[in-house]
Amino acid sequence: MRSSTIVRVLAAGAATAAVTATAGLATATPAYAATSKVSVVHGIPATPVDVYVNGKVTLKNFQPGDVAGPLDLAEGKYDIDLTKPGEAIDKAILSVDGAAVPGGANISIVAHLDAAGTPKITPFVNDVSKVGAGKARLVVRHTAAAPAVDVRAGGTPVFKNLTNPDEAKADLGAGTVSADVVLAGTTTVAIPATDLNLAEGTATIVYATGSAEGKTLGVVAQVITGLHSAPGGVPSGDGGLADDSGVSTWWLVAGAAALLLALGGGIRLATRRTGR
Amino acid sequence: MSLHHHGVPREIRGARRSHLSRRAVLAACGAALLAGCGAGEADSTSPEVEALSSPTPSPDVPPTQVPVQRAGLPTAQAVIRPVRLRIPAMSLDAKVDAVGIDARTGDFAVPPSVDRVGWYRHGPGLEARAGSIVIAGHVDSAAQGRGAFFTLRTLAKGDRLTLTDGAGRGYGFQVVGVEQFRKTRIPLERYFARDGAPRITLITCGGPFDESTRHYRDNIVVTATA
């Protein structure tokens, strides 16, 4: 009985020690080794893949139109390889050696087609600065095998002459906008109108993907939350009826001071009188 | 009868508190009579309320389990908006409007009608499992007189409030803190946070009133939890 208690206590002690050690390890990670949030976006039509990072399979059977992550990756260079699902890394269909991940950034690594229709990988750094209260950020990235395009919101071009692999962005009032994509400078619709719900305090990143020639143009969206700001203030009264202390207390104090002065004067007067 | 009985000590408590704060102000003013009055009063904050706003740590995801999502276009989240606010201790039963930001000023768009209060529709609604559900209302207005939140500052820890949704379902909360800040110092990010413990934040104006600018110096913040 006693020994079992001792064992339990020892075990508990060991567990505590282990936890402490782990915590120690965690805190021992140098603060300057900034990690980045990394998402992986699949924008190559009809090509599911396995994703290898530094030779290690990280995503299996990753489907077109999916977004993976975000992963916390330390600053550094990374080798990225895409294979057909289940195939060995030496049969990679797409490889990038030494892709640089800067510290403390938010990055999207996008597998997509270039303007000519060849698969490639493009890293984008995401703007995760705060948006103003009531606002949402819209980012559009041209990652499709298609010529230059205009992006229209409610029929009006908002981003003009966007080419692969560039992006355009704006902070807009939160809410729903109807957006479509047309060939630059024309009204020829490349991607038909869709309702985009831009939630307040988020960045919605829309990737145009696929191929115009292959008739596989479409969109993939990635949403980054937590970019909201507080309102500038909460003005909620201009009547003065609830005025607390300020004026009334001031008058109380002033009154008391006046009274003291008057009393002092009175006493002085009295002293003078008795003196005589 | 019991209602009346309950009401009496509340009144006394409120009265005593305001008397105390007045005495404190008087003392401060007395000490700083030459330096001038009105600059001394410190913000009153609550460590308990502050603790509610610390975000809960997210669980560590092992590197082999990378979250993957179908990246369709985002759709609007279902938000349960409050339509009515009842605070028995203030004899308040007010309609709640869904409001956002005044585009001209960037400020919280408090409903112009002072007998209504405004729920911040960009923040969480009654479905929230985290973050601050914010409702602001007028203390008063020059044109309309006393507002719905005229006596908000008299609330005390333990006072109850009920928010009702459009389906008539009530959500009960209890006051955990009453704070007062100068508007220039109020940590609004904390009160408009979308993480931390789920909580209700009621905001109005208070403190001394500046006749020349027609503004109150302070904000009164009441925090309540379920």
Side-chain angles (χ1 to χ4, degrees):
Chain A
M1 198 60 177
R2 192 178 295 162
S3 70
S4 99
T5 311
I6 290 169
V7 167
R8 220 174 291 149
V9 169
L10 276 176
T16 313
V19 167
T20 315
T22 316
L25 259 179
T27 48
T29 309
Y32 51 80
T35 61
S36 279
K37 298 266 177 213
V38 179
S39 300
V40 184
V41 180
H42 192 337
I44 303 172
T47 317
V49 293
D50 287 351
V51 179
Y52 287 78
V53 176
N54 285 347
K56 224 180 103 194
V57 67
T58 307
L59 289 167
K60 283 183 175 167
N61 200 20
F62 188 42
Q63 296 290 325
D66 280 0
V67 174
L71 287 166
D72 287 314
L73 291 186
E75 177 176 0
K77 305 242 182 228
Y78 291 86
D79 295 340
I80 301 163
D81 296 276
L82 306 185
T83 66
K84 284 183 181 163
E87 287 204 340
I89 191 169
D90 56 5
K91 288 186 182 168
I93 52 174
L94 194 54
S95 296
V96 173
D97 289 340
V101 170
N106 189 307
I107 295 165
S108 293
I109 293 175
V110 187
H112 67 102
L113 300 177
D114 70 10
T118 310
K120 67 179 286 194
I121 291 174
T122 304
F124 290 91
V125 175
N126 300 317
D127 179 358
V128 290
S129 61
K130 299 277 180 193
V131 296
K135 304 271 186 188
R137 182 167 298 140
L138 173 63
V139 182
V140 179
R141 289 176 179 160
H142 189 328
T143 53
V149 296
D150 293 343
V151 179
R152 302 190 300 184
T156 313
V158 284
F159 303 134
K160 287 181 187 172
N161 208 25
L162 192 60
T163 55
N164 188 327
D166 289 342
E167 70 168 25
K169 62 179 179 177
D171 288 1
L172 311 168
T176 302
V177 292
S178 174
D180 66 358
V181 175
V182 294
L183 297 181
T186 74
T187 52
T188 310
V189 174
I191 301 173
T194 10
D195 278 349
L196 275 180
N197 173 59
L198 305 175
E200 199 261 357
T202 69
T204 300
I205 305 167
V206 180
Y207 300 87
T209 61
S211 151
E213 211 178 272
K215 302 213 182 300
T216 52
L217 286 181
V219 291
V220 171
Q222 176 191 3
V223 178
I224 298 173
T225 59
L227 309 185
H228 55 275
S229 303
V234 188
S236 43
D238 62 3
L241 299 172
D243 181 40
D244 93 345
S245 72
V247 173
S248 60
T249 311
W250 173 247
W251 284 117
L252 273 177
V253 173
L259 194 69
L260 277 172
L261 278 174
L263 273 174
I267 288 162
R268 262 212 308 275
L269 209 68
T271 321
R272 226 179 283 160
R273 250 186 224 145
T274 35
R276 272 194 186 169
Chain B
M1 195 57 178
S2 70
L3 195 76
H4 183 70
H5 181 72
H6 175 76
V8 171
R10 250 207 55 75
E11 284 296 316
I12 291 168
R13 214 166 53 214
R16 191 191 299 142
R17 189 170 43 200
S18 78
H19 178 67
L20 266 177
S21 71
R22 190 150 297 166
R23 236 171 46 198
V25 169
L26 260 176
C29 290
L33 196 57
L34 288 173
C37 181
E41 202 175 353
D43 295 333
S44 74
T45 66
S46 154
E48 286 166 66
V49 172
E50 201 171 336
L52 290 172
S53 61
S54 53
T56 42
S58 55
D60 283 337
V61 180
T64 44
Q65 289 175 13
V66 183
V68 176
Q69 50 200 324
R70 196 76 210 142
L73 292 172
T75 50
Q77 299 292 309
V79 173
I80 303 175
R81 53 160 295 198
V83 299
R84 210 154 194 111
L85 168 65
R86 290 187 181 87
I87 309 178
M90 289 165 62
S91 305
L92 177 73
D93 182 356
K95 278 190 179 160
V96 181
D97 291 342
V99 298
I101 295 292
D102 182 329
R104 195 174 48 84
T105 60
D107 289 335
F108 190 108
V110 180
S113 172
V114 299
D115 54 358
R116 287 166 173 255
V117 294
W119 161 67
Y120 190 58
R121 63 185 169 85
H122 297 312
L126 292 169
E127 79 292 339
R129 298 203 170 167
S132 171
I133 302 167
V134 186
I135 294 177
H138 277 100
V139 64
D140 67 4
S141 99
Q144 301 170 64
R146 292 181 173 211
F149 278 175
F150 190 75
T151 55
L152 192 72
R153 64 186 165 145
T154 65
L155 286 182
K157 234 183 235 188
D159 284 342
R160 294 179 179 281
L161 58 101
T162 306
L163 284 162
T164 312
D165 66 17
R169 194 161 22 139
Y171 300 72
F173 301 88
Q174 206 167 2
V175 173
V176 294
V178 181
E179 299 171 297
Q180 184 165 351
F181 294 94
R182 284 174 188 246
K183 286 176 179 175
T184 50
R185 286 207 293 252
I186 181 169
L188 284 173
E189 319 73 46
R190 188 194 298 168
Y191 298 110
F192 287 84
R194 297 180 194 173
D195 52 13
R199 57 204 188 272
I200 302 289
T201 303
L202 308 176
I203 308 179
T204 194
C205 283
F209 184 77
D210 184 333
E211 287 287 348
S212 60
T213 62
R214 307 295 304 171
H215 288 309
Y216 287 93
R217 189 192 68 185
D218 299 345
N219 276 129
I220 309 285
V221 183
V222 171
T223 303
T225 55

